[in-house]
Amino acid sequence: MGLFSAILGNAGTVSQEELQKDYGKLLISSEEIELGFKLIRDVFIFTNKRLILIDKQGVTGSKTEYKSITYKSISRFSIETAGTFDLEAELKIWVSSEQTPSIRKQFNKSVNVYDVHNVLATHVLK
């Protein structure tokens, strides 16, 4: 992921190996990482059980919030693909019965948003 994309707030793909090394301690025994993205200092991980959002806070990033969202609590989601002049796509996720999206993430053009859609659809539609 390029620095310019990071400054603009676009998420880029992170390898499963890197995510496992850095965040494997958050997983339960039967849980596996399927897909993950980094947005400047924040990370979000799709596992076979849930969505994990990692929010590094403060100037040093030493304070970290780990948010876990089960797929069954996701009521709907949308992916808006990039237009002709756009370099990114946007993911919106609604949790439970909320009227506005609980989660909004921008992806840079290096991310295949259809992979994201596939992971979400696979787990949410079970």
Side-chain angles (χ1 to χ4, degrees), residues 52-119:
I52 302 171
L53 303 170
I54 300 149
D55 179 16
K56 296 201 177 198
Q57 303 167 358
V59 175
T60 62
S62 58
K63 182 177 177 183
T64 305
E65 177 185 22
Y66 301 94
K67 188 183 296 184
S68 180
I69 301 169
T70 59
Y71 291 117
K72 68 180 179 181
S73 68
I74 296 174
S75 60
R76 59 189 160 140
F77 62 92
S78 72
I79 295 177
E80 184 177 323
T81 59
T84 307
F85 298 105
D86 288 336
L87 297 178
E88 71 270 339
E90 183 177 24
L91 166 68
K92 297 177 192 172
I93 298 175
W94 287 260
V95 176
S96 298
S97 60
E98 294 181 353
Q99 297 299 312
T100 58
S102 307
I103 301 162
R104 294 186 122 157
K105 297 292 179 185
Q106 295 281 87
F107 295 93
N108 64 27
K109 65 180 178 179
S110 70
V111 174
N112 183 345
V113 294
Y114 298 105
D115 289 344
V116 177
H117 183 275
N118 191 23
V119 169

